[in-house]
């Protein structure tokens, strides 16, 4: 299993969000759980994949995801008053639990639409954002979506979306 598998929801892990209710060490639970299919062969949306990305970033940088993103994303975008729920080990949940304003969601959409640039400043390499926005895996798990990029749902006609709980979505249509 690789980072790419986690980014594209193709890890195959059977460890799901239910883990957050019954386990205290989510990383250990994820790593000890079997796969339902060979990583990279199928799409299966699983927020624990995104949690593992947060846990990896925390381990590699020695910083929380919030602290890592603050000077790199939140401050340059002018997004304040952010809360991200934590797992019992103190790691941001990654795939859920982010509390952000509607204006903040709009700014993230603009940042993605402009290939990592915001108000004329390049915050992340455009080549990475372009990889993020390309369909990395075709999927039929969702009636509306046609594919999945790096943490992005792909919709018909080149539209893509960040999908949150209860219809909290950032939908980007670069043509319009």
């Amino acid at each position: 299993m690789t980072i790419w598998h986690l980014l594209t929801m193709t890890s195959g892990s059977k460890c799901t969000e239910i883990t957050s209710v019954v386990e205290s060490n989510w990383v250990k639970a994820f790593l000890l759980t079997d796969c339902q299919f060979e990583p990279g062969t199928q799409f299966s949306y699983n927020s624990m994949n995104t949690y593992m990305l947060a846990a990896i970033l925390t381990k590699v940088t020695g910083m929380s995801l919030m602290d890592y993103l603050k000077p790199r994303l939140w401050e340059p975008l002018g997004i304040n008053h952010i809360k991200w729920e934590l797992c019992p080990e103190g790691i941001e949940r990654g795939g859920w639990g982010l509390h952000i304003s509607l204006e903040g969601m709009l700014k993230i959409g603009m940042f993605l639409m402009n290939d990592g640039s915001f108000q004329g400043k390049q915050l992340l390499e455009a080549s990475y954002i372009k990889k993020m926005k390309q369909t990395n895996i075709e999927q039929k798990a969702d009636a509306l979506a046609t594919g999945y990029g790096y943490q992005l749902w792909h919709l018909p006609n080149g539209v893509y979306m960040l999908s949150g709980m209860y219809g909290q979505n950032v939908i980007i249509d670069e043509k319009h």
Side-chain angles (χ1 to χ4, degrees):
M1 188 182 302
T2 67
I3 299 284
W4 187 86
H5 297 132
L6 298 171
L7 285 168
T8 59
M9 298 291 168
T10 61
S11 72
S13 178
K14 289 181 182 177
C15 183
T16 66
E17 293 87 346
I18 294 169
T19 299
S20 68
V21 178
V22 297
E23 297 289 340
S24 61
N25 188 328
W26 298 1
V27 170
K28 183 177 177 182
F30 187 91
L31 295 174
L32 292 177
T33 302
D34 291 333
C35 289
Q36 56 188 331
F37 53 81
E38 181 70 26
T41 62
Q42 295 179 45
F43 174 88
S44 180
Y45 186 82
N46 181 346
S47 292
M48 290 301 289
N49 289 330
T50 311
Y51 167 76
M52 286 302 294
L53 291 168
I56 291 167
L57 183 132
T58 298
K59 178 73 173 173
V60 169
T61 66
M63 302 170 75
S64 72
L65 181 56
M66 286 292 288
D67 287 345
Y68 184 83
L69 290 176
K70 186 175 181 179
R72 294 168 175 84
L73 189 67
W74 306 135
E75 287 177 348
L77 292 178
I79 299 174
N80 303 305
H81 309 293
I82 307 156
K83 181 181 183 233
W84 213 324
E85 296 173 16
L86 306 175
C87 77
E89 299 285 312
I91 299 168
E92 288 84 352
R93 292 182 178 203
W96 72 101
L98 175 62
H99 301 264
I100 190 169
S101 70
L102 182 59
E103 180 183 356
M105 292 169 63
L106 175 63
K107 288 177 178 180
I108 290 170
M110 293 169 58
F111 162 79
L112 292 172
M113 183 179 73
N114 293 308
D115 294 328
S117 176
F118 186 75
Q119 296 181 336
K121 184 176 179 186
Q122 195 69 42
L123 305 179
L124 194 62
E125 288 184 34
S127 62
Y128 179 80
I129 299 291
K130 288 177 183 176
K131 286 180 185 176
M132 182 181 185
K133 294 190 302 189
Q134 74 186 28
T135 298
N136 289 291
I137 189 83
E138 300 290 330
Q139 64 89 21
K140 295 179 177 113
D142 184 279
L144 181 62
T146 58
Y148 201 77
Y150 294 169
Q151 305 289 295
L152 286 174
W153 293 93
H154 291 220
L155 308 174
N157 303 314
V159 176
Y160 53 95
M161 165 175 81
L162 295 165
S163 181
M165 289 179 64
Y166 311 117
Q168 299 173 46
N169 302 314
V170 177
I171 300 172
I172 300 118
D173 181 350
E174 293 182 9
K175 293 177 189 169
H176 298 102

